[in-house]
Amino acid sequence: MSIKDIMDSMDYGPAPESAGDAKAWLAARDHRLGHFVAGTFVGAENASIAVENPATGETLAHIPAAGAAEIDAAVAAAKAAFPRWAKLSGFERAQYLYAIARGLQKRERFFAVLESLDNGKPISETRTADIPLAVRHFYHHAGWAAALHSEFPDHEPLGVCGQVIPWNFPLLMLAWKIAPALAAGNTVVLKPADLTPLTAAAFAELLAEIGLPKGVVNIVHGGAETGALIVRHPDVAKVAFTGSTAVGREIRRATAGSGKRLTLELGGKSPFVVCADADLDAAVEGVVEGVWFNQGEVCCAGSRLLLQEGIATDFLTRLRARMQKIRLGDPLDKSTDMGAIVSARQKARIHDLLAGAQAQGYALEQSACPLPAKGHFVAPGFFADTEPAATVSQVEIFGPIAVTTTFRTVDEAVSLANNTAYGLAASVWSENINVATELAARIKAGVVWINATNIFDAAAPFGGVKESGFGREGAHEGMSAYLRPATPKRRVAARIVPVDLTAHTGTEPIAPAIIDRTMKNHIGGKQARPDGGASYVLRNRKGEALALAPISGRKDIRNAVEAALKAGGWAANAHGRAQVLFYLAENLAARAGDLTAALVQMGATPGEAARELRKTQERIFYYAGMADKDDGRTHAAKPRHLTLSVPEPLGVVGVAAPDEAPLLALMSLILPLIAVGNTVVAVPSPAHALIMQPLYQLFDTSDLPGGVVNLVAGDRDALAGVLAEHDAVDALWYHGSAEGAARVETLSAGNLKQVWTNGGLALDWADDRQASGRNWLDRATQVKTIWLPYGA
C-alpha cells in the first residue's frame, strides 16, 4: 500500500511491538516458573499448570500449584520476617518501596510486553495504564511509609497478609495489594491468578534484586484450592481479595470467627448515566473507555447505559458508528484497540450470556470488525432497549458488551442506577453541575466519575458497597486497612451473663410495689409490644425479679428495620444531628436519678453508676462535637480533576450490646453511628434490658426523630442472627460471645454487609482509646470517591 493510499483511507498500518525480550526471559527459565518463598524460587520442577497466550493459544510457560506444605512454608517465612520488618523505621521501609518503583520503571517495556502476552490486553493499555499505575502505587506508598508516624500515630501493622488477586489487571492488582501492606509494616503471601502469573514471577525476581529482606513478600502459584489454603491459614491476620462476589461470600464464611481483617473488592454492574444535556461525543468516548477498555474485563465497567429519552436515538447512532472503528487484533500491535479475552472458558461464558439474552428476544449489535482466526476474541457490542430485570442487565458479563435502558427524569435514573445488588462504581454525564452532583450523591456506589470514567490513582480510594464488597484500596483509607489502633495486648473474654428467656406465665409476682414494670420495645419513636406477645423476667444479681422485658423475634426486627429505613433523612443535616446529641446529653443529666437507679438495680454500686453516667455524658458530648466535623478529604490525584472522598453513613446498622457497662456500652455503640447519620436497630444486653425504659424516655424528650434509634429486647444472638441475614441491614456491630461473633459473620455473607465484632473479647468501655474516637467514626462510615472535572 502506497503512502497516497494510506492518506486516502487513513487506515492504520501494523505497528508491532517485539516480544523478543519477554520470550527470551521465559526461555532462560525453560518456560517453568516456581514459587517465591523466603527469598528463594522453589517448585519449578513440579510445574504442571499451562499458562497460555490468549491471543494465539500458544503455551508460554508452566507453573506449579501450591498445596498445604507450600502454603505453610510461605506463611511461616512471612511470619518469621514480620517482627524485623515491622520494627524498621518508616523511612527504611520507604526506601525499599522506592527501589521497587524504580525497578519497575526501568523495566516498563518488558513488563508491558509480558503482561500483554499473558493477559491478551493491548500493549497500548499495558504501557500507558497498567504498568505506570503499578509504579505509581509503589511511589505513593513509599511516601505513606515515610509519613506513617505522623499520619497514623498509635497504630500498628496487622501481621501476615494473605492476598489473592484476579487475572484482569495482574501486575496492577499486585501493586494495589502489596504496596500498602509493606508500607504499613506487614508481610505478605500473595497468589496471582493461575491464568496470568507471569508478571508476578518477574516481580519476585525484582524483589530479590533490590535485596528485600527474605520472607517479607512470598508469591505462590495455583488455582482456587491454593487461594483457599491462604484464606484459611491460622497465621494469616488479614485477607485481601479481588474477584467475584461468589468467591467473596465463601471467603467471608471461611474467615468467620477467625479474627482476620478482611477487604473484599468484588463484582460490579455499574451504571453509565447519559443526560439530555451531556456532550454526546464525549460520552460515546466514555463508553469506549468505560465498557470496551480491557476487553470489558473490568469490574467497574459502566456496562449499563442509562440514556435520557430525548437523546437515546442520537446517542446510539453515534455509538454504532464509533463501535465500527474499534480495531481488534494482535495485542502487541500498537494500533490495536482491543485484544483477546483471557481464556476460552471466559469467552464461552460471555457467549452463553449473549445467547441467553438473544433467546429472550433482545437484539445484540456488534462491530463488524473481523476476528482473528486464532485466540479468544469477542467483538464489542451492546443490547439496545434492555429490560432492567433481564439477566444481562443484572449479571456481570465481564466482556465488551453493554446493555441500554432509557429514563425520563433524574429520579428514574437514580432508581434504575440503584436497581442492582452491586455498588462498585458509576459514571455520570451532564453539562448541568446540579444534575451531575445530585446523581453522584444519590447513586449508591463507592466511586462516581462525572463526565469521565475509569480514572484511577493511588491517591484516590477505590472500593464498593453492597455486594461489590467493603474496604478501600489506595490513599489514606487504603492504608488504614492494613493498620489497627495499638491496644492492650491482653484482653479477657467477654463475660456473658446467663439469662432465662423462658416466657413469663404470671405465676411469680413482679415488683409488687410497682403497678407495671412490663417494658416494651421502642420502634419508630413509639413503644411497641413484642409481636409474639411474650416477656421474660429480668432479675438482679440476687435472682430477685425486677421487671418484664419483651421476647422479640423476626417480625419485631423487621418492624424496627422498616422504621429505621423511614428515618433515613436523619443523615442530611450534620448540624441538626449535633444539636440533637447535645440536647440528649442535657436531658441525660436531667434524668440522672432514673438512670442511676436502673444501673444500681442491675448490680452497680452508686459510685459505679455515677461514673458510668458521667462517662456516657462525656461520650455524647464527644460525638455531638464530631457530628459536623467528619469532613472527608480532597486528593492530589490526576490533573484537571477535583477528587473527593466523601464519608457517607452505612445506612441501617444493627447493634448487639454486651453485658458489661449496660448504659455506657450500649450508648458507645449507638452514638458514633447516629452522629454520622446512620439509623440503628439495637439489641440491649438481655441481662440488663431494664436500661431500655429510661433510655427511650430520654430519646422521646430529646427531639431524636422516631426510627433513628430502635430498641428491641430479647435473645441477643438470635436477634443478631436475624439482623445479619436481613438484606436491608447494611452493617452489624456485635459484642457478645466468640461463638456469636463467628455466627453473625457467617450469616452476613448473604448480602456481604460489613460486620464488626468484639471476637468474644471484652472492652474497657470507660477507656476512650478502646471504646471511642476516630476509629469508631471511620467504622461508622463508608467513603464515596467522586471525580469532578476541575481546573484548566
Side-chain angles (χ1 to χ4, degrees), residues 97-167:
L97 287 161
Y98 180 81
I100 293 171
R102 293 290 292 134
L104 285 172
Q105 206 164 29
K106 292 173 185 176
R107 297 165 176 79
E108 277 193 354
R109 181 187 173 281
F110 166 75
F111 275 99
V113 172
L114 192 62
E115 196 81 297
S116 290
L117 283 173
D118 196 16
N119 174 271
K121 64 176 65 187
I123 189 72
S124 59
E125 292 179 6
T126 58
R127 289 194 72 171
T128 61
D130 293 49
I131 310 307
L133 189 50
V135 172
R136 162 75 170 137
H137 270 268
F138 283 104
Y139 276 132
H140 178 77
H141 287 92
W144 276 121
L148 205 65
H149 63 286
S150 67
E151 301 308 301
F152 289 93
D154 301 319
H155 279 67
E156 61 189 13
L158 304 172
V160 178
C161 296
Q163 303 178 326
V164 181
I165 60 174
W167 44 257

Side-chain angles (χ1 to χ4, degrees), residues 307-310 406-413 416:
L307 312 175
Q308 199 153 17
E309 282 188 354
T406 60
F407 67 91
R408 293 182 180 179
T409 66
V410 169
D411 286 344
E412 188 179 2
L416 289 168

Side-chain angles (χ1 to χ4, degrees), residues 82 85-90 93-94 97 141-149 152 155-159 161 163 177-188 238 476 478-484:
F82 172 67
W85 179 253
K87 287 180 181 178
L88 291 180
S89 70
R93 289 199 299 272
L97 287 161
H141 287 92
W144 276 121
L148 205 65
H149 63 286
F152 289 93
H155 279 67
E156 61 189 13
L158 304 172
C161 296
Q163 303 178 326
K177 297 290 190 292
I178 288 180
L182 297 193
N186 302 284
T187 54
V188 168
K238 159 74 186 273
H476 184 279
M479 276 298 297
S480 66
Y482 286 92
L483 293 161
R484 64 184 167 208

Side-chain angles (χ1 to χ4, degrees), residues 578-588 620 698 701-703:
Q579 293 303 108
V580 169
L581 289 174
F582 278 125
Y583 193 24
L584 191 68
E586 180 183 334
N587 283 331
L588 182 80
I620 298 174
L698 176 67
T701 57
S702 300
D703 293 340

Side-chain angles (χ1 to χ4, degrees), residues 106-380:
K106 292 173 185 176
R107 297 165 176 79
E108 277 193 354
R109 181 187 173 281
F110 166 75
F111 275 99
V113 172
L114 192 62
E115 196 81 297
S116 290
L117 283 173
D118 196 16
N119 174 271
K121 64 176 65 187
I123 189 72
S124 59
E125 292 179 6
T126 58
R127 289 194 72 171
T128 61
D130 293 49
I131 310 307
L133 189 50
V135 172
R136 162 75 170 137
H137 270 268
F138 283 104
Y139 276 132
H140 178 77
H141 287 92
W144 276 121
L148 205 65
H149 63 286
S150 67
E151 301 308 301
F152 289 93
D154 301 319
H155 279 67
E156 61 189 13
L158 304 172
V160 178
C161 296
Q163 303 178 326
V164 181
I165 60 174
W167 44 257
N168 57 337
F169 292 94
L171 187 67
L172 179 55
M173 292 294 102
L174 176 151
W176 279 23
K177 297 290 190 292
I178 288 180
L182 297 193
N186 302 284
T187 54
V188 168
V189 177
L190 178 137
K191 188 196 83 69
D194 56 348
L195 292 173
T196 54
L198 301 187
T199 49
F203 178 81
E205 293 186 0
L206 172 65
L207 298 183
E209 178 185 308
I210 68 162
L212 187 75
K214 295 179 179 181
V216 171
V217 172
N218 306 271
I219 296 175
V220 294
H221 300 290
E225 298 82 1
T226 301
L229 289 169
I230 295 173
V231 166
R232 295 177 183 276
H233 199 286
D235 290 331
V236 168
K238 159 74 186 273
V239 173
F241 172 76
T242 297
S244 73
T245 296
V247 175
R249 286 197 179 93
E250 291 304 311
I251 291 174
R252 171 70 281 182
R253 295 186 182 104
T255 58
S258 66
K260 291 179 171 68
R261 290 279 292 274
L262 187 59
T263 300
L264 298 175
E265 196 263 283
L266 307 176
K269 193 71 176 177
S270 301
F272 187 101
V273 183
V274 184
C275 298
D277 57 7
D279 180 336
L280 297 189
D281 288 328
V284 166
E285 290 305 311
V287 174
V288 175
E289 288 298 316
V291 183
W292 298 329
F293 169 74
N294 203 52
Q295 301 75 246
E297 296 169 328
V298 184
C299 53
C300 54
S303 56
R304 288 189 297 138
L305 307 182
L306 307 181
L307 312 175
Q308 199 153 17
E309 282 188 354
I311 51 90
T313 299
D314 186 10
F315 182 85
L316 290 178
T317 298
R318 299 182 194 212
L319 186 62
R320 290 183 184 100
R322 181 66 179 88
M323 183 172 68
Q324 300 305 325
K325 301 295 184 183
I326 300 291
R327 297 179 299 278
L328 188 148
D330 179 7
L332 290 182
D333 189 328
K334 289 187 282 289
S335 64
T336 294
D337 294 317
M338 186 180 295
I341 299 299
V342 73
S343 69
R345 180 178 178 182
Q346 178 63 16
K347 178 183 174 182
R349 179 184 177 277
I350 293 168
H351 281 166
D352 286 347
L353 285 168
L354 303 187
Q358 289 172 300
Q360 292 175 347
Y362 299 110
L364 174 64
E365 301 184 44
Q366 284 182 286
S367 170
C369 60
L371 301 183
K374 293 181 179 179
H376 316 308
F377 292 88
V378 174

Side-chain angles (χ1 to χ4, degrees), residues 391-415:
T391 300
V392 286
S393 296
Q394 293 292 326
V395 173
E396 189 175 26
I397 297 174
F398 227 63
I401 307 296
V403 298
T404 71
T405 306
T406 60
F407 67 91
R408 293 182 180 179
T409 66
V410 169
D411 286 344
E412 188 179 2
V414 170
S415 178

